[in-house]
Amino acid sequence: MTQVPDWLDILAAQAQRSKIPPYMRPPAGRGRAAAVLMLFGEGPFGPDVLLIQRSTRGRRHAGQPAFPGGGVDPDDGGPVAAALREAEEETGVDPGGVHVLGTMQELYLRYSDNRVTPVLAWWREPCAVHAASPDEVDSVERVPIAELVDPGNRVMLRHPSGMAGPAFRVRGMLVWGFTAMVLDSVLREGGLERPWDPARVEDLPPDVVNLASRG
């Protein structure tokens, strides 16, 4: 059992005050409720966060790294229960070993018409994880924070639409889009970010674009 680190306590306390870009503010009366679990823990290489690589066979967000999560079902009673349920179904995480610290503000994903609530949590009692739902998840990774903040692993990625956003190259994964944007914000507001060069801009690889365009 490990204690919640100070930086995560600080982050959880200020999460509700984070600025939301205009294009991610949920429109009135639209969007399906969804939640993701941002599960931080203390791993063999220091503090880390749990990420999944979505199946390339999926219809939505195929092949993309992401936080465990999905839609909020009526029986869930809210985003926290939904995030924990989805994490257990996708990775085998035991919800009993997870200490929920709070939620961030709801974010709107126009492409999938989802209103996503990120749930911040500390992995109080870590357990083994795996791709528990092979139809939805190809792999599961505990990604060290040290690798995420390494300037050499950071880049801005440009979508064919012309929009560009932060991305990370870690553990053989290209983390981009919504997941990278949230991680970028969390690392910065948690005081963990190291100086990096946002002028380093690359085009989103064609194979990634093709997978992302499904649906």
Side-chain angles (χ1 to χ4, degrees):
M1 185 179 297
T2 55
Q3 295 291 324
V4 179
D6 290 342
W7 64 265
L8 191 52
D9 267 334
I10 293 170
L11 177 64
Q14 65 187 23
Q16 283 294 329
R17 298 193 296 273
S18 300
K19 292 183 179 179
I20 300 177
Y23 66 91
M24 297 198 79
R25 292 172 187 162
R30 284 185 55 193
R32 179 194 180 203
V36 295
L37 184 67
M38 298 183 63
L39 182 57
F40 294 92
E42 185 66 33
F45 302 102
D48 57 26
V49 64
L50 186 68
L51 294 180
I52 63 172
Q53 180 98 37
R54 295 209 172 276
S55 171
T56 56
R57 300 182 298 278
R59 185 168 173 269
R60 293 282 188 181
H61 311 295
Q64 291 186 28
F67 303 112
V72 177
D73 291 344
D75 293 342
D76 289 326
V80 171
L84 290 172
R85 173 183 55 76
E86 287 281 353
E88 182 177 20
E89 291 175 359
E90 293 178 338
T91 72
V93 161
D94 177 7
V98 175
H99 174 55
V100 174
L101 298 167
T103 59
M104 296 176 68
Q105 296 183 71
E106 201 175 47
L107 302 170
Y108 182 63
L109 297 186
R110 191 175 307 277
Y111 174 72
S112 56
D113 193 34
N114 280 330
R115 308 167 68 99
V116 183
T117 299
V119 176
L120 281 165
W122 176 246
W123 212 347
R124 186 180 63 243
E125 298 178 10
C127 64
V129 289
H130 64 289
S133 180
D135 288 339
E136 299 180 53
V137 179
D138 276 348
S139 62
V140 179
E141 288 283 349
R142 294 186 63 168
V143 180
I145 299 298
E147 294 182 19
L148 289 168
V149 300
D150 183 340
N153 293 337
R154 304 212 55 181
V155 66
M156 291 290 287
L157 274 188
R158 182 171 45 226
H159 190 273
S161 67
M163 291 187 64
F168 304 82
R169 296 185 184 278
V170 287
R171 300 281 157 143
M173 298 187 295
L174 177 62
V175 184
W176 64 286
F178 171 80
T179 303
M181 188 209 71
V182 175
L183 276 174
D184 176 68
S185 173
V186 165
L187 295 173
R188 183 172 57 254
E189 295 184 21
L192 302 174
E193 184 180 53
R194 290 170 55 191
W196 63 287
D197 183 11
R200 180 185 166 197
V201 181
E202 299 177 7
D203 289 327
L204 195 61
D207 58 329
V208 175
V209 175
N210 292 336
L211 281 173
S213 64
R214 285 185 187 172

